[in-house]
């Protein structure tokens, strides 16, 4: 069974989420957090595959995206991780889960793993320069052209004005620029994402996620100094043709205990792992998850 519904977490925050359960025995719960410029729709291909292997899948639209609330502020990844934590409580999920995050979702997954370690069996994140790490600061200089949007999105007001009415062109840029398997994205897929970010407040929120990066960097550095590295089974996951692959191991070891680290690569994909090669994504993910039942 699969549903797409909304959880009212507070007076101001509603989180939309996809929830799919296997028909037979359940082997565990996998929570999937999307990136930008995407929504939980990102996992449309992999959810049926994971459910077919016996896993319940929960894929939220993080705050500001898709069917979720469009708040005026507070897009720190610690706050967004708290939303996921509250969603699990709302669903009465007590058992530890497997958490997967891609791109912005990877930053949220890391924040969750650092704050709520006992709620996890494992965490898998990647395809993002984690704020506060050496990779993050290097990305802003050495890869400034590809990562232009990190700065552009941080400029007040101007991006909203320039993107308005051009959402399809804008979201298409990212798929065309950093995907390997372009055939993975149909015209209908692009239209879906463009419509999602054309909603009132949606692009403002999408940009707000980036405007919080410097807060995220300071938070991560302070939290790591105070509580140490993440001590949860962790896989950093990259695409075979992604630039992030070369930096992934250095980055994850900066924030995670070495004994807990796995390095995963999805063949035939660049940045958009779950959409470019869903079967291979699931294969690599399950190989890791099944080591931590």
């Amino acid at each position: 069974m699969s549903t797409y519904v909304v959880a009212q977490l507070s007076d101001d925050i509603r989180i939309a989420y996809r929830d799919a359960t296997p028909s037979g025995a359940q082997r565990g719960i996998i929570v999937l957090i999307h990136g930008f410029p995407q929504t939980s729709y990102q996992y449309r291909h992999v959810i049926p595959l994971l459910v077919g292997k016996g896993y319940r899948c929960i894929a939220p639209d993080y705050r500001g995206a898709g069917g979720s609330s469009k708040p005026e502020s507070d897009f720190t990844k610690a706050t967004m991780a708290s939303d996921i934590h509250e969603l699990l409580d709302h669903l009465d999920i007590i058992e530890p889960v497997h958490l997967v995050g891609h791109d912005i979702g990877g930053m949220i997954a890391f924040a969750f793993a650092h704050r709520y370690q006992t709620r996890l069996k494992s965490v898998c994140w990647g395809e993002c320069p984690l704020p506060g790490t050496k990779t993050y600061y290097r990305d802003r200089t050495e890869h400034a052209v590809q990562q232009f949007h990190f700065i552009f999105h941080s400029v007040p007001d101007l991006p909203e004005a320039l993107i308005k009415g051009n959402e399809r062109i804008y979201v298409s840029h990212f798929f065309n620029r950093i995907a390997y398997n372009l055939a993975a994205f149909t015209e209908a897929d692009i239209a879906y994402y463009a419509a999602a970010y054309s909603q009132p407040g949606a692009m403002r929120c999408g940009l707000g996620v980036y405007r919080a990066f410097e807060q995220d960097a300071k938070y991560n550095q302070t939290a790591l100094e105070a509580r140490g590295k993440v001590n949860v089974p962790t896989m950093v996951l990259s695409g075979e043709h992604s630039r992030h692959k070369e930096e992934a191991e250095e980055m994850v070891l900066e924030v995670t205990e070495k004994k807990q680290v796995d390095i995963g690569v999805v063949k035939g994909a660049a940045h958009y792992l779950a959409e470019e090669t869903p079967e291979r994504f699931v294969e690599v993910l399950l190989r890791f998850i099944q080591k931590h039942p």
Side-chain angles (χ1 to χ4, degrees), residues 57-286:
C57 291
I58 299 167
D61 295 333
Y62 57 57
R63 63 165 56 198
S68 293
S69 297
K70 312 294 186 291
E72 288 298 321
S73 61
D74 201 353
F75 295 98
T76 65
K77 308 312 164 290
T79 294
M80 297 171 81
S82 178
D83 290 340
I84 306 303
H85 185 264
E86 290 182 37
L87 176 62
L88 295 179
D89 286 346
H90 175 85
L91 295 173
D92 293 323
I93 294 174
I94 300 173
E95 67 176 279
V97 303
H98 301 283
L99 183 62
V100 179
H102 168 262
D103 187 79
I104 298 298
M107 300 177 187
I108 299 169
F110 169 77
F112 189 105
H114 201 255
R115 297 185 75 186
Y116 309 113
Q117 299 194 32
T118 60
R119 300 297 298 267
L120 297 177
K121 289 183 177 180
S122 71
V123 61
C124 170
W125 61 273
E127 285 298 319
C128 61
L130 185 70
T133 63
K134 295 174 183 176
T135 296
Y136 169 74
Y137 292 111
R138 192 163 56 234
D139 251 35
R140 297 170 74 89
T141 53
E142 294 180 12
H143 304 291
V145 173
Q146 180 175 321
Q147 302 292 69
F148 82 96
H149 56 295
F150 279 35
I151 301 300
F152 177 58
H153 289 182
S154 298
V155 177
D157 302 327
L158 180 63
E160 288 94 327
L162 295 178
I163 297 169
K164 186 176 181 180
N166 296 305
E167 289 86 358
R168 186 184 181 94
I169 294 172
Y170 197 62
V171 301
S172 295
H173 165 83
F174 294 98
F175 299 121
N176 291 334
R177 178 76 173 134
I178 54 179
Y180 174 72
N181 179 17
L182 291 176
F185 300 96
T186 66
E187 286 297 311
D189 295 333
I190 300 299
Y192 184 97
Y193 288 129
Y197 282 93
S198 298
Q199 296 179 81
M203 189 59 74
R204 171 184 54 79
C205 292
L207 303 175
V209 168
Y210 288 80
R211 289 169 180 157
F213 278 1
E214 286 306 299
Q215 290 175 269
D216 296 330
K218 291 175 184 176
Y219 176 89
N220 287 342
Q221 290 169 341
T222 301
L224 286 163
E225 289 173 6
R227 300 198 298 272
K229 297 181 179 182
V230 167
N231 194 25
V232 171
T234 299
M235 179 168 67
V236 62
L237 190 59
S238 310
E240 177 187 15
H241 302 284
S242 172
R243 174 182 60 75
H244 292 292
K245 181 181 70 170
E246 307 307 322
E247 339 175 294
E249 184 171 2
E250 174 193 353
M251 180 176 62
V252 73
L253 288 174
E254 194 174 336
V255 298
T256 309
E257 294 292 345
K258 185 175 182 179
K259 65 182 179 181
Q260 298 283 20
V261 171
D262 271 78
I263 309 297
V265 175
V266 177
K267 293 185 178 180
H271 182 63
Y272 301 100
L273 315 178
E275 291 173 289
E276 293 186 59
T277 55
E279 293 84 2
R280 290 173 180 168
F281 171 83
V282 167
E283 178 184 352
V284 176
L285 178 62
L286 288 182

Side-chain angles (χ1 to χ4, degrees), residues 46-69:
V46 305
I47 288 175
L49 300 177
L50 292 169
V51 170
K53 295 293 184 179
Y55 292 92
R56 178 183 179 184
C57 291
I58 299 167
D61 295 333
Y62 57 57
R63 63 165 56 198
S68 293
S69 297

